[in-house]
């Protein structure tokens, strides 16, 4: 079914959710891929774990290297602490019977939104579901295929940082904000000293966007 939505990725996904009829919903990117056994695995996993409403898998590129969801544990429950490292949109699946109908993607957050918040809509939804009592599980394997895509420009890095800052302010994730903000800052001199000033500049922009949006939203 092909539907037309207003600009904004979150608005488009919400429209899709309104019209979806399956028990399990996924949000694949245009550049990700599933293994032939992925969907059968997800279906079986939910059947064997009826207490869960969210399943998030790992992410690897064509070479097999981790390309997202870089949480150190091989598997764990989703929590407000680990969601930024375990729940990229294209890696998670929702079981509709466990998902409150009122909970949708925040249309003010995400690519195409009419705000400065250019990312984080996927994480924001998972935090909202966790707060509503929905249980989620992260499995590093099997993984969804997706290329590793660093920020292409400092502007994109800033908007993504702003999106994450907005999510953390909205849900009062102070510890996560400090950890991610400092994680950006400590890596900047490493990249500069190794001659990758472009990467260091993008990290600076990401941290700046996160900082400004967090305190703007608080």
């Amino acid at each position: 079914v092909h539907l037309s939505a207003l600009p904004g990725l979150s608005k488009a996904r919400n429209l899709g959710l309104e019209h979806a009829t399956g028990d399990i919903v996924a949000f694949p990117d245009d550049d990700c891929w599933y293994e032939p056994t992925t969907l059968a695995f997800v279906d079986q996993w939910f059947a064997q774990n009826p207490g869960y409403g969210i399943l998030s898998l790992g992410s690897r590129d064509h070479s097999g290297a981790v390309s997202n969801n870089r949480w150190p544990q091989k598997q764990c429950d989703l929590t407000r602490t680990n969601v930024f490292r375990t729940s990229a949109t294209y890696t998670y699946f929702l079981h509709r019977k466990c998902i409150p109908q009122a909970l949708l993607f925040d249309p003010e957050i995400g690519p195409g939104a009419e705000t400065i918040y250019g990312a984080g809509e996927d994480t924001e939804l998972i935090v909202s579901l966790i707060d509503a009592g929905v249980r989620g599980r992260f499995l590093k394997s099997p993984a969804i295929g997706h290329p590793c895509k660093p920020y292409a420009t400092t502007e994109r890095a800033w908007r993504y940082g702003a999106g994450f800052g907005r999510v953390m302010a909205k849900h009062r994730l102070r510890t996560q904000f400090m950890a991610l903000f400092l994680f950006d800052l400590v890596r900047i001199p490493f990249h500069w000293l190794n001659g990758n000033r472009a990467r260091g500049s993008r990290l600076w922009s990401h941290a700046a966007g996160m900082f400004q949006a967090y305190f703007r939203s608080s």
Side-chain angles (χ1 to χ4, degrees), residues 128-170:
S128 296
L129 292 172
I130 291 172
D131 288 347
V134 180
R135 295 184 70 191
R137 188 74 177 169
F138 169 66
L139 305 178
K140 186 165 286 189
S141 180
I144 304 299
H146 193 279
C148 184
K149 298 174 66 175
Y151 302 121
T153 65
T154 54
E155 180 183 0
R156 183 179 177 86
W158 191 92
R159 288 180 60 84
Y160 269 59
F164 297 138
R166 169 59 183 160
V167 174
M168 289 182 278
K170 180 177 179 178

Side-chain angles (χ1 to χ4, degrees), residues 80-81 84 164-182 210 214-215 218:
R80 287 165 58 93
T81 300
F84 285 91
F164 297 138
R166 169 59 183 160
V167 174
M168 289 182 278
K170 180 177 179 178
H171 292 279
R172 297 179 173 84
L173 301 173
R174 296 177 183 175
T175 302
Q176 290 86 338
F177 166 73
M178 289 301 302
L180 293 176
F181 180 70
L182 292 174
M210 196 187 313
Y214 182 84
F215 288 101
S218 298

Side-chain angles (χ1 to χ4, degrees), residues 116 157-159 161-163 165-166 204-214:
I116 63 172
W158 191 92
R159 288 180 60 84
R166 169 59 183 160
W204 174 259
S205 295
H206 187 268
M210 196 187 313
F211 184 90
Q212 292 177 41
Y214 182 84

Side-chain angles (χ1 to χ4, degrees), residues 77-92:
D77 276 2
L78 299 179
T79 69
R80 287 165 58 93
T81 300
N82 64 30
V83 288
F84 285 91
R85 293 287 176 170
T86 56
S87 60
T89 326
Y90 64 87
T91 67
Y92 64 63

Side-chain angles (χ1 to χ4, degrees), residues 7-8 11 107-108 110 112-117 159:
K11 292 178 182 178
E108 294 187 354
E114 297 177 350
T115 65
I116 63 172
Y117 311 126
R159 288 180 60 84

